[in-house]
Amino acid sequence: MSRGGKEQPRGMSRRELLRAVGAAGAGFALGAGGTALSTGTLAARPRREIRDGARDQRVPFYGVHQAGIATPQQEHLHFAAFDLTTKSLEDVRELMRAWTEAGARMCAGEPAGEENTSPFMPPEDTGEALGLRPARLTLTFGFGPTLFEKAGEDRFGIKDSRPEALVEIPPMPGDALEEDSCGGDLGVQACADDPQVAFHAVRNLARIARGTAVMRWSQLGFGRTASTSREQSTPRNLMGFKDGTANIKAEDEELMRRYVWVARGDGPAWMENGTYLVARRIRMFIEVWDRVPLTEQERSIGRHKYSGAPIGAEHEFDPVDLEARDENGDPLIPENSHVRLARENEEQRILRRGYSFTDGMDRERGQLDAGLFFICFQRDPRRQFIPLQRRLARNDLLNEYIRHTGSAIFACPPGAHRGGYVGQILLEGA
Amino acid sequence: MRRTLLPLALVALVLAAGCGGRQIVSSEREVTGGETTAETTGGETTALQISSSPELEEAARGYKEYVATQSTLLADRTEEFVDAVLAGDVERAKELYGPARVPWERIEPVAAQLGEYDPRIDAREGDVPDDEWGGFHRIEKALWVRGTTEGQEEYARRLLRDVRNLQGAIEELELRPVDLVTGSVELLNEVSGSKITGEEERYSHTDLYDIWANVQGSEAAFERLKPALEKEDPALVEEVEAGFDEVYAELERYRRGDGWVSYTKLGEEERRRLSQKVDALAEPLSRVGKVLEE
């Protein structure tokens, strides 16, 4: 029956051939009618040796804290929220185990799974990151409120482990939230200096989750809108202003302890060394903003556009003097400016780690669908993000140019240790 | 380039280097006395032996029977449908349209291997030049858009002829285990690719008949591979079966009487949920190919 020929390719053992065929990049023709698998010209197996300098591009996956929080912020983001479709806690454990394992591999610049040597099965790794640098990929996992309780139901028997700080973000004035850009049982933040590396990570995690969880929403981000390290310069957001000048920097360990990391006694033990992630998809009406005169733009923000200095000051890092007045006795930094409202309460400081985004064109308006995918980390959102955002939502002069269209909160457990997995203490009730 | 004679039903799938996309590359084929002559492109062809076992042989035999039964059912139902069109009975024709297509959708990947049958029977508007366009969807448009059978008589007669010829071709077809593996996944890919958006049955909105049939056809192939797979990977069998259960349970929500609700009744969220369940099934199903390894 096998008239397609049975001969082995010259100079290659069958196993070698299988391996070559299984690897991405090799071409083969499959003669379904015969017993023969015809192979075309065989490309050399792509090798994954790490290039020079790539070692420095790896951020350790394992540690006391999850990576992607205190890590100096990378340039690109792919965020995804998932809903669990399983009813079994064991499946959730299995998923977190598999995600941890694949995540650690990918952050080390390796493919998500073992190399596939079977020509009859799809490769375990999807392949588009082969040959790319690790690009400082980090993966940060979080648990949403609905993991613990959904529609009054204790889905996995872990309701009692829900931290009090893991509250639903209450409605804010001016919210225009779209249900399908909100919430999620699980959140995954992938950050990298190469967008394809970040995309690859989320794609492969979504694939691993299939049958256990489905993607609920996903957001790509380009261009960081904060600096989280003193090594970094302050980037600009899509309004053209420097963003994140006064951000907490990872080097300020005291501030990180005080405002970001959950401490012993804050809540359930499984969250110690973890943190809470709040994400808001903030659409900017940039066409409108672009018609606003410079002075008005600066008054809305409270800073000068080009220098980034507080109004009335000269340099970006000059102290913000909220008391300064102009010749008429009016505050130099207006009452409802973003800067003033954002820093009115020192106890509400957060670690911002947002990204600019665009999802192409808004077909209804014919305008760019673009803005800020705001991400922040904090020790307790009830004392930090929520009161801060409530104040901003009521008064901020910027509200005229923005709409919050998406919202989510996740409890990010501490980092995993080699051999363990992220969320293990919660899911195994240690 | 080397000329290779391969049996009928040749699908040359090529994972093109560097893009990973699947393309059919059998560049020329002619049906001559039950054999297909094909030329594969891409340089010298070499070959690998695929594992063969009594279980796999049995699987191929059993699936062949299934395909034959379905092709007979297709011919019977198409005849009823065509009769209604020829009788000018629009309502009756509309009623019979969805069910007539079900056996087709169950075995489509196999039928699609047999030369021109797929475009003749199942081309959608725009797939082929308008003067060559016939088959189910041409009549579908007349029935639902213009509400008439007028002018469809020739298309109807031709459709019945094609379906009967297909039935004959399938009797002579030899199927190999690998056809079951690729076919079962392809049927689900059909659902994810073009069915879930409602583009397949854009006038009649009978997409749920097609989707249900695709899933059944996929299951039929899987069921026959199961004995071989049980030995190799019982956990995978369990996973796939659970996946089928989930998809069927989801589909059940839309059953009405002997048939299915109009696909327009499904909102974006419902379509997405169905799509994600199909993906959840197709993922483990795509690993079933391991039974072919030696």
Side-chain angles (χ1 to χ4, degrees), chain A residues 178-194:
Chain A
E178 291 154 13
E179 172 65 22
D180 50 9
S181 306
C182 293
D185 297 337
L186 304 171
V188 178
Q189 175 195 257
C191 300
D193 289 328
D194 181 331

Side-chain angles (χ1 to χ4, degrees), chain A residues 1 3-5 7 10 17 25-30 32-33 35 37-39 41 118 120-122 207 210-211 214-215, chain B residues 2 6-7 9 11 13-15 17 35 42 44-50 176 178-179 276 279-280 283 286-287 289 293:
Chain A
M1 188 67 228
R3 272 171 296 176
E7 61 267 57
R10 280 184 300 270
L17 176 65
F28 70 86
L30 184 64
T35 50
L37 177 80
S38 311
T39 60
T41 312
S118 169
F120 308 113
M121 288 196 281
R207 191 174 174 215
R210 230 153 261 164
V214 293
M215 201 178 277
Chain B
R2 215 180 71 179
L6 286 175
V11 210
L13 296 172
V14 157
L15 278 173
E35 291 229 321
E44 195 172 339
T45 47
T46 48
L48 274 180
Q49 196 66 36
I50 291 175
R176 308 302 307 177
V178 69
D179 295 318
Q276 289 181 321
D279 281 344
E283 194 68 40
S286 70
R287 299 199 300 271
E293 281 178 64

Side-chain angles (χ1 to χ4, degrees), chain A residues 123-417:
Chain A
E124 285 216 11
D125 183 279
T126 56
E128 73 273 32
L130 291 171
L132 298 179
R133 289 159 184 266
R136 294 198 302 129
L137 172 68
T138 56
L139 289 163
T140 316
F141 300 98
F143 300 132
T146 46
L147 176 70
F148 301 88
E149 188 177 2
K150 196 169 190 176
E153 190 198 341
D154 185 1
R155 305 161 72 196
F156 300 103
I158 54 172
K159 187 178 151 191
D160 293 343
S161 304
R162 175 175 173 171
E164 283 180 16
L166 185 64
V167 292
E168 294 284 358
I169 305 291
M172 300 283 178
D175 271 358
L177 301 180
E178 291 154 13
E179 172 65 22
D180 50 9
S181 306
C182 293
D185 297 337
L186 304 171
V188 178
Q189 175 195 257
C191 300
D193 289 328
D194 181 331
Q196 186 148 319
V197 169
F199 173 84
H200 168 263
V202 168
R203 174 184 179 185
N204 280 272
L205 294 178
R207 191 174 174 215
I208 289 167
R210 230 153 261 164
T212 306
V214 293
M215 201 178 277
R216 181 181 172 86
W217 54 266
S218 162
Q219 184 70 56
L220 281 175
F222 67 89
R224 60 185 171 93
T225 59
S227 54
T228 62
S229 164
R230 290 209 193 87
E231 295 166 8
Q232 297 181 305
S233 61
T234 313
R236 290 178 188 271
N237 62 25
L238 296 186
M239 288 181 158
F241 277 76
K242 289 195 174 188
D243 201 342
T245 300
N247 205 9
I248 297 175
K249 303 287 192 285
E251 291 89 345
D252 298 327
E253 285 178 24
E254 178 52 35
L255 293 181
M256 291 294 284
R257 263 198 301 277
R258 190 158 163 200
Y259 295 114
V260 179
W261 303 124
V262 173
R264 182 168 302 184
D266 282 358
W270 68 267
M271 270 301 284
E272 188 183 337
N273 291 317
T275 181
Y276 294 90
L277 181 159
V278 173
R280 305 280 287 185
R281 185 182 185 278
I282 305 174
R283 165 81 187 272
M284 290 174 177
F285 297 115
I286 53 179
E287 287 81 356
V288 176
W289 176 253
D290 292 344
R291 298 191 278 265
V292 174
L294 178 62
T295 327
E296 193 51 36
Q297 287 189 5
E298 292 184 333
R299 283 174 49 80
S300 301
I301 301 280
R303 287 185 181 274
H304 290 298
K305 187 158 192 169
Y306 300 111
S307 64
I311 293 181
E314 238 180 288
H315 304 291
E316 180 189 347
F317 291 99
D318 286 349
V320 177
D321 183 359
L322 296 176
E323 306 304 318
R325 312 238 154 209
D326 64 16
E327 57 269 28
N328 301 322
D330 294 325
L332 268 179
I333 298 178
E335 292 294 348
N336 288 340
S337 66
H338 187 71
V339 160
R340 180 184 287 273
L341 292 168
R343 53 171 52 211
E344 216 155 58
N345 187 331
E346 187 65 20
E347 286 312 303
Q348 293 166 357
R349 292 188 72 176
I350 49 178
L351 173 69
R352 281 172 289 161
R353 221 173 174 284
Y355 287 87
S356 294
F357 74 83
T358 177
D359 289 332
M361 194 183 83
D362 166 350
R363 300 202 165 266
E364 201 176 16
R365 294 184 175 86
Q367 297 173 337
L368 279 168
D369 183 3
L372 167 64
F373 191 71
F374 174 93
I375 296 173
C376 70
F377 294 94
Q378 64 242 278
R379 191 170 158 186
D380 188 341
R382 293 169 302 174
R383 290 191 288 108
Q384 294 168 278
F385 174 78
I386 292 171
L388 169 65
Q389 180 54 31
R390 192 171 281 136
R391 193 167 59 247
L392 287 169
R394 280 200 195 115
N395 308 305
D396 196 344
L397 289 171
L398 282 182
N399 290 337
E400 210 178 318
Y401 313 105
I402 60 176
R403 290 283 176 285
H404 287 236
T405 60
S407 178
I409 181 169
F410 299 100
C412 302
H417 299 285

Side-chain angles (χ1 to χ4, degrees), chain B residues 126-147:
Chain B
D127 284 352
V128 291
D130 198 59
D131 54 0
E132 290 170 27
W133 186 37
F136 276 117
H137 293 302
R138 177 129 212 174
I139 305 171
E140 178 204 3
K141 186 178 181 185
L143 290 174
W144 270 273
V145 177
R146 293 192 287 115

Side-chain angles (χ1 to χ4, degrees), chain B residues 195-215:
Chain B
K195 303 277 167 36
I196 211 76
T197 55
E199 67 200 68
E200 175 87 21
E201 305 292 356
R202 60 188 80 162
Y203 311 113
S204 61
H205 307 300
T206 54
D207 303 83
L208 284 167
Y209 286 84
D210 298 5
I211 293 171
W212 176 63
N214 286 158
V215 176

Side-chain angles (χ1 to χ4, degrees), chain B:
Chain B
M1 191 185 286
R2 215 180 71 179
R3 199 171 169 85
T4 326
L5 258 188
L6 286 175
L8 193 71
L10 176 133
V11 210
L13 296 172
V14 157
L15 278 173
C19 78
R22 266 184 164 190
Q23 310 170 291
I24 290 178
V25 292
S26 71
S27 50
E28 295 163 31
R29 55 168 78 187
E30 22 176 319
V31 180
T32 45
E35 291 229 321
T36 297
T37 312
E39 288 190 12
T40 51
T41 54
E44 195 172 339
T45 47
T46 48
L48 274 180
Q49 196 66 36
I50 291 175
S51 155
S52 184
S53 68
E55 275 116 345
L56 288 175
E57 295 302 327
E58 181 51 36
R61 246 195 319 276
Y63 186 61
K64 165 72 195 296
E65 265 172 46
Y66 173 79
V67 173
T69 310
Q70 292 304 315
S71 73
T72 305
L73 190 59
L74 172 65
D76 293 347
R77 288 193 184 173
T78 304
E79 187 168 352
E80 280 182 73
F81 170 67
V82 163
D83 284 348
V85 172
L86 295 178
D89 189 341
V90 174
E91 283 319 304
R92 178 100 182 115
K94 280 176 150 183
E95 247 169 64
L96 293 171
Y97 173 82
R101 289 180 47 76
V102 162
W104 165 263
E105 291 290 341
R106 285 181 184 140
I107 59 168
E108 197 183 345
V110 175
Q113 289 174 24
L114 298 171
E116 291 300 301
Y117 290 109
D118 188 24
R120 292 172 68 96
I121 294 172
D122 199 31
R124 289 170 295 173
E125 189 170 16
D127 284 352
V128 291
D130 198 59
D131 54 0
E132 290 170 27
W133 186 37
F136 276 117
H137 293 302
R138 177 129 212 174
I139 305 171
E140 178 204 3
K141 186 178 181 185
L143 290 174
W144 270 273
V145 177
R146 293 192 287 115
T148 180
T149 60
E150 221 172 289
Q152 301 306 301
E153 294 78 5
E154 185 45 38
Y155 298 121
R157 276 191 282 266
R158 214 193 293 163
L159 172 64
L160 186 56
R161 208 160 49 233
D162 286 334
V163 163
R164 286 205 174 119
N165 288 341
L166 172 68
Q167 194 189 353
I170 281 175
E171 272 170 30
E172 307 200 359
L173 171 72
E174 185 145 354
L175 285 171
R176 308 302 307 177
V178 69
D179 295 318
L180 281 65
V181 170
T182 51
S184 63
V185 177
E186 262 172 47
L187 278 159
L188 295 185
N189 289 347
E190 276 277 320
V191 177
S192 317
S194 64
K195 303 277 167 36
I196 211 76
T197 55
E199 67 200 68
E200 175 87 21
E201 305 292 356
R202 60 188 80 162
Y203 311 113
S204 61
H205 307 300
T206 54
D207 303 83
L208 284 167
Y209 286 84
D210 298 5
I211 293 171
W212 176 63
N214 286 158
V215 176
Q216 283 192 316
S218 172
E219 192 188 27
F222 169 73
E223 281 297 327
R224 282 158 183 91
L225 290 167
K226 216 165 80 176
L229 189 62
E230 283 282 8
K231 284 189 185 170
E232 185 116 4
D233 191 345
L236 182 57
V237 170
E238 225 170 274
E239 206 181 328
V240 171
E241 287 185 328
F244 275 114
D245 288 348
E246 286 275 323
V247 172
Y248 282 128
E250 187 64 27
L251 282 169
E252 275 312 307
R253 304 154 53 103
Y254 308 116
R255 202 189 269 281
R256 289 295 176 279
D258 292 340
W260 304 90
V261 301
S262 163
Y263 200 58
T264 53
K265 297 262 189 283
L266 275 70
E268 192 181 69
E269 200 184 311
E270 290 168 313
R271 290 179 188 201
R272 184 178 68 194
R273 202 169 51 223
L274 180 57
S275 171
Q276 289 181 321
K277 299 228 170 191
V278 170
D279 281 344
L281 163 62
E283 194 68 40
L285 195 63
S286 70
R287 299 199 300 271
V288 167
K290 61 163 48 167
V291 293
L292 300 177
E293 281 178 64
E294 276 182 339

